[in-house]
Amino acid sequence: MAPTEIRLYTVDEVCKLFQCGRSTVYKLMDSGELQSVKIGALRRIPPEAARAYLARQLGEVVTTDAA
């Protein structure tokens, strides 16, 4: 069975996506508004977490699909 590829965004990639600075992204992660994963000293953001944050900011209903 082949491993499933999991793509995680870097902080810099989320900065480009959100068009904001690194400190803003870190504040969002520290406050819990933007979910992230800590791998050693690195922080990574699942694409679903970035989409959910943006959807909340736009006032859209966020749903999660049951696997």
Side-chain angles (χ1 to χ4, degrees), residues 2-3 9-10 13 16 19 21 24 29 31 33 35-36 41 43-44 46-48 51-52 59-62:
Y9 291 142
T10 65
E13 289 173 324
K16 289 178 187 175
Q19 297 181 357
T24 300
M29 290 187 296
S31 71
E33 292 182 73
Q35 291 183 331
S36 65
R43 297 287 290 265
R44 296 294 183 254
E48 301 80 23
R51 283 192 290 273
E60 298 175 4
V61 176
V62 178

Side-chain angles (χ1 to χ4, degrees), residues 20-63:
C20 66
R22 291 173 57 87
S23 61
T24 300
V25 174
Y26 278 104
K27 284 178 188 176
L28 291 171
M29 290 187 296
D30 290 343
S31 71
E33 292 182 73
L34 178 62
Q35 291 183 331
S36 65
V37 176
K38 192 164 185 181
I39 304 170
L42 304 174
R43 297 287 290 265
R44 296 294 183 254
I45 301 95
E48 301 80 23
R51 283 192 290 273
Y53 174 78
L54 290 175
R56 285 192 306 275
Q57 295 305 303
L58 295 171
E60 298 175 4
V61 176
V62 178
T63 60

